[in-house]
Amino acid sequence: MAAVTADQKTQSTSGTVKAAGTGAGPAAGAAPDAADAALLAAFDAAVAADDRIEPRDWMPEAYRATLIRQMAQHAHSEIIGMQPEANWITRAPSLRRKAILMAKVQDEAGHGLYLYSAAETLGTSREELLDKLHAGRQRYSSIFNYPTLTWADVGAIGWLVDGAAITNQVPLCRCSYGPYARAMVRICKEESFHQRQGYELLLALSRGTEAQHAMAQDAVDRWWWPSLMMFGPPDDASSHSEQSMAWKIKRHSNDELRQRFVDICVPQAEALGLTLPDPDIRWNEERGQHDFGAIDWTEFQQVLKGNGPCNEQRITQRRRAHEEGAWVRDAAAAYAAKHTTPSTRTAQPAQHVEETA
Amino acid sequence: MSAALALGDDALVLSHRLGEWAGHAPVLEEEVALANIALDLLGQARVLLSLVGDEDELAYLREERAFRNLQLVEQPNGDFAHTIARQLYFSVYQHLLYERLAAGDGEFAGLAAKAVKEVAYHRDHAEQWVLRLGDGTAESHERMQSGLEALWRFTGEMFQPVEGLDAAGTTAATGTTGTTDTAGATDTAGATDTAGATDTAGATGTSGSGSGVDWAELESAWLSAVTATVERATLTLPTGPRSGAWAAGAGRQGLHTEPFGRMLAEMQHLHRSHPGASW
């Protein structure tokens, strides 16, 4: 499961701004204002022309900070997002479903790796980002703070959560920052596959026994609203949206994407033989879109603040895995130090690559 | 006992244990690697169990006493070193066994030929980690040594002949108790393994129709491969018994260790709660 972290748009950026500040933009030194202005103009022109910004290109520090924040949250979401699904690996009801679920959770770890790598091109490091996650200074998608209570939740996550993530992510394949856009192309292919599998899982339940059908309906009832919240706060309350759209990091507003998602889901729910838990959903002939009910933004804010059903559990498990794995990472580093020849050691890049600006 | 059931259960149960690591691994790369190995094993299990009957009936509706996996693979994960010790012991065994099956012309030759490529990777993964943990820090060295020690007593069972994979095609049924006793008596230390192995070989015969596995030869190949890795990792090969009167061969006869029942309860619960449902 993956969720681009549109729902985090309201959070403070103080942590990431500091990290981004370590990247050496040319503005850092005694660069004259005129040169600065020229760089900014070149950057703006590149964005306007739909060119891709690459790691060694000059970029405004705020652009760098926004990207680090968003990509880190995206990567963290992949990693935390493994937990609700891994919760069912050992209980999957058939070997085929178990294989599918294991493959999916493995893919998520892989997506996390892509995204951390992509974020590292901006002058941060995976270790640094993970430390911030563990310290609560960077977030992950609010959706993963909901529990998986039945097997059908695995299907609901595939259909709705991955579906919402894809709706969010497909436009990111055209994001102005090259490494992020390229990571998204690869990730979206796998996510679409997961989403179809989740849908198919729910379909099997919906057409199964009465108890299975009820299990599927209950899961959809619990995951529908949190999935809509994945698109983030309404446009008039989304603090970063405008700038992100100007930079072409974001291509559509939260509300546009949410509407698109609802319009996709309504016929899919019908095909599944399941209902969406919103009595206000109906086709609006004039708009050519579905109307739908009001989202409980209080719940959303509570989950963002750490008061969702699983916030504590998720972060505790993540921290524990990291802390309990420390001796393993130390061992690997100690072994590498003993067994790496001096020539190989010096050939390794020092830290990061911003010396050419 | 069907050989497909024995090999299939090994893969199924170890896959399940590795699946328990998801979300708990020490680094992201290991999330990927452990899940990858678990998936390979699950794939092997499905092929093997399907040779016997319906894979889901076999996985979800048999009780503990009907499972034929080695006790080694059902052992709880413990810490990462414990898991890696289990992976080392089993993947070297499985690699050597599947190489031999793939070289023969028995009923498992085809699937072994495919699986052996996966298992070669599992073995490499385990061996590389034994080196890193053994020759890493003092703590990792100690933990790796503990893992090797803790699981050592389950390794003797791997070389009890599996009916259907014997060299002469003779059934192991008549000799099961006998060979168990022999192994229990002689395999008390690494040093006596060669002798024990020869006895086993004598009991089951080495002459070779197609798919035959020479268990004594397999055991000595396993022992030398594991010894080489352990020593390279600056670790010590455990010296305790490799099997006890009770443990040796017991998993293959449906006698398991206590954690196994709990593992099955978790694995089978949902499937059993909805009799006849399809998923």
Side-chain angles (χ1 to χ4, degrees), chain B residues 120-142:
Chain B
Y121 161 76
H122 306 171
R123 176 179 170 174
D124 185 52
H125 174 264
E127 288 177 342
Q128 292 299 322
W129 269 116
V130 171
L131 293 178
R132 274 157 187 74
L133 299 181
D135 195 13
T137 64
E139 181 184 4
S140 70
H141 179 92
E142 192 191 329

Side-chain angles (χ1 to χ4, degrees), chain B residues 155-184:
Chain B
T155 59
E157 186 185 358
M158 295 190 286
F159 307 101
Q160 296 302 309
V162 174
E163 183 184 346
L165 302 181
D166 296 329
T170 51
T171 72
T174 52
T176 306
T177 354
T179 44
T180 303
D181 291 348
T182 312

Side-chain angles (χ1 to χ4, degrees), chain A residues 99 102-103 106, chain B residues 10-21 29-45 73 80 83-84 86-88 90-92 94 115 117-129:
Chain A
M102 271 186 186
Q106 182 191 20
Chain B
D10 283 350
L12 177 70
V13 170
L14 185 57
S15 167
H16 185 96
R17 284 297 188 206
L18 292 173
E20 293 173 354
W21 269 104
E29 286 82 353
E30 282 307 297
E31 295 282 5
V32 176
L34 295 172
N36 198 347
I37 295 168
L39 262 177
D40 287 346
L41 290 167
L42 186 54
Q44 293 164 16
V73 296
F80 188 71
T83 289
I84 290 299
R86 193 182 59 199
Q87 286 302 112
L88 177 75
F90 183 75
S91 65
V92 172
Q94 198 191 14
K117 294 172 196 154
E118 297 169 346
V119 179
Y121 161 76
H122 306 171
R123 176 179 170 174
D124 185 52
H125 174 264
E127 288 177 342
Q128 292 299 322
W129 269 116

Side-chain angles (χ1 to χ4, degrees), chain A residues 139-205:
Chain A
R139 307 288 184 88
Y140 53 87
S141 179
S142 62
I143 193 78
F144 304 123
N145 293 312
Y146 290 87
T148 47
L149 301 178
T150 72
W151 170 251
D153 290 31
V154 171
I157 286 174
W159 176 42
L160 295 174
V161 176
D162 292 345
I166 292 163
T167 307
N168 257 329
Q169 288 172 0
V170 165
L172 280 173
C173 296
R174 296 183 294 124
C175 159
S176 59
Y177 188 57
Y180 195 20
R182 289 188 289 274
M184 290 322 304
V185 170
R186 302 177 65 178
I187 289 172
C188 282
K189 283 181 193 162
E190 292 181 346
E191 291 295 346
S192 305
F193 190 58
H194 297 163
Q195 202 240 354
R196 283 202 297 277
Q197 288 172 327
Y199 183 88
E200 195 256 333
L201 190 165
L202 280 184
L203 191 63
L205 294 180

Side-chain angles (χ1 to χ4, degrees), chain A residues 90 92-93 97-98 126 329 339, chain B residues 26 29 60 135 266 271 279:
Chain A
T90 54
R97 293 291 178 196
K98 187 173 184 167
R126 195 209 303 184
R329 296 189 299 275
H339 295 272
Chain B
E29 286 82 353
Y60 292 101
D135 195 13
E266 181 172 348
H271 186 96
W279 301 93

Side-chain angles (χ1 to χ4, degrees), chain A:
Chain A
M1 130 176 61
V4 69
T5 52
D7 64 2
Q8 306 297 309
K9 293 297 180 200
T10 51
Q11 84 166 81
S12 145
T13 57
S14 56
T16 47
V17 168
K18 210 178 296 169
T22 59
D33 289 349
D36 244 12
L39 286 166
L40 183 58
F43 172 85
D44 287 342
V47 170
D50 273 335
D51 286 346
R52 288 282 163 78
I53 307 300
E54 296 298 337
R56 294 179 184 213
D57 293 340
W58 183 89
M59 63 189 82
E61 281 309 307
Y63 176 85
R64 186 186 300 275
T66 294
L67 276 169
I68 289 177
R69 178 178 54 82
Q70 181 170 334
M71 291 164 76
Q73 286 174 3
H74 195 163
H76 298 334
S77 299
E78 296 282 358
I79 302 314
I80 297 284
M82 295 168 72
Q83 292 183 28
E85 290 178 301
N87 185 37
W88 280 93
I89 285 179
T90 54
R91 293 177 288 169
S94 74
L95 297 186
R96 174 172 165 265
R97 293 291 178 196
K98 187 173 184 167
I100 290 171
L101 185 56
M102 271 186 186
K104 185 181 179 191
V105 174
Q106 182 191 20
D107 281 349
E108 282 154 9
H111 295 173
L113 283 169
Y114 293 162
L115 287 162
Y116 286 122
S117 298
E120 284 182 332
T121 64
L122 291 163
T124 182
S125 70
R126 195 209 303 184
E127 291 68 26
E128 191 179 1
L129 297 176
L130 281 173
D131 286 347
K132 284 182 178 152
L133 170 67
H134 299 151
R137 290 171 57 205
Q138 286 179 346
R139 307 288 184 88
Y140 53 87
S141 179
S142 62
I143 193 78
F144 304 123
N145 293 312
Y146 290 87
T148 47
L149 301 178
T150 72
W151 170 251
D153 290 31
V154 171
I157 286 174
W159 176 42
L160 295 174
V161 176
D162 292 345
I166 292 163
T167 307
N168 257 329
Q169 288 172 0
V170 165
L172 280 173
C173 296
R174 296 183 294 124
C175 159
S176 59
Y177 188 57
Y180 195 20
R182 289 188 289 274
M184 290 322 304
V185 170
R186 302 177 65 178
I187 289 172
C188 282
K189 283 181 193 162
E190 292 181 346
E191 291 295 346
S192 305
F193 190 58
H194 297 163
Q195 202 240 354
R196 283 202 297 277
Q197 288 172 327
Y199 183 88
E200 195 256 333
L201 190 165
L202 280 184
L203 191 63
L205 294 180
S206 178
R207 293 179 176 176
T209 66
E210 210 173 303
Q212 286 177 307
H213 183 91
M215 191 192 283
Q217 183 62 58
D218 169 61
V220 169
D221 290 348
R222 283 182 288 109
W223 287 91
W224 172 250
W225 291 108
S227 300
L228 291 190
M229 295 176 197
M230 288 172 64
F231 296 94
D235 291 348
D236 52 19
S238 179
S239 53
H240 297 290
S241 277
E242 205 177 322
Q243 180 62 76
S244 286
M245 287 177 74
W247 278 329
K248 293 188 180 171
I249 293 172
K250 218 175 141 87
R251 297 273 178 168
H252 309 280
S253 79
N254 294 352
D255 288 335
E256 271 172 42
L257 291 169
R258 189 166 16 243
Q259 178 70 55
R260 187 180 295 180
F261 179 67
V262 171
D263 290 335
I264 291 169
C265 286
V266 170
Q268 289 181 343
E270 276 168 28
L272 279 171
L274 299 171
T275 57
L276 296 171
D278 179 357
D280 296 332
I281 289 190
R282 63 180 55 83
W283 179 252
N284 181 323
E285 198 67 57
E286 273 174 43
R287 292 201 300 128
Q289 291 173 322
H290 291 88
D291 292 336
F292 55 97
I295 291 172
D296 180 356
W297 293 113
T298 316
E299 174 181 322
F300 176 71
Q301 289 304 334
Q302 283 300 313
V303 176
L304 277 196
K305 276 183 201 154
N307 301 324
C310 297
N311 297 59
E312 189 58 39
Q313 176 190 332
R314 299 284 185 246
I315 201 69
T316 299
Q317 178 178 329
R318 178 88 273 287
R319 278 193 204 121
R320 188 184 302 139
H322 190 73
E323 283 160 15
E324 288 179 357
W327 68 270
V328 177
R329 296 189 299 275
D330 290 348
Y335 180 88
K338 284 183 211 175
H339 295 272
T340 308
T341 62
S343 62
T344 338
R345 213 176 299 161
T346 50
Q348 287 179 353
Q351 242 291 339
H352 183 65
V353 278
E354 238 115 6
E355 61 273 29
T356 49

Side-chain angles (χ1 to χ4, degrees), chain B residues 72 75 82 85-86 89 146-155:
Chain B
L72 175 68
Q75 295 311 305
H82 206 89
R86 193 182 59 199
Y89 291 155
S146 300
L148 292 174
E149 302 282 352
L151 294 167
W152 184 246
R153 71 191 180 92
F154 298 104
T155 59

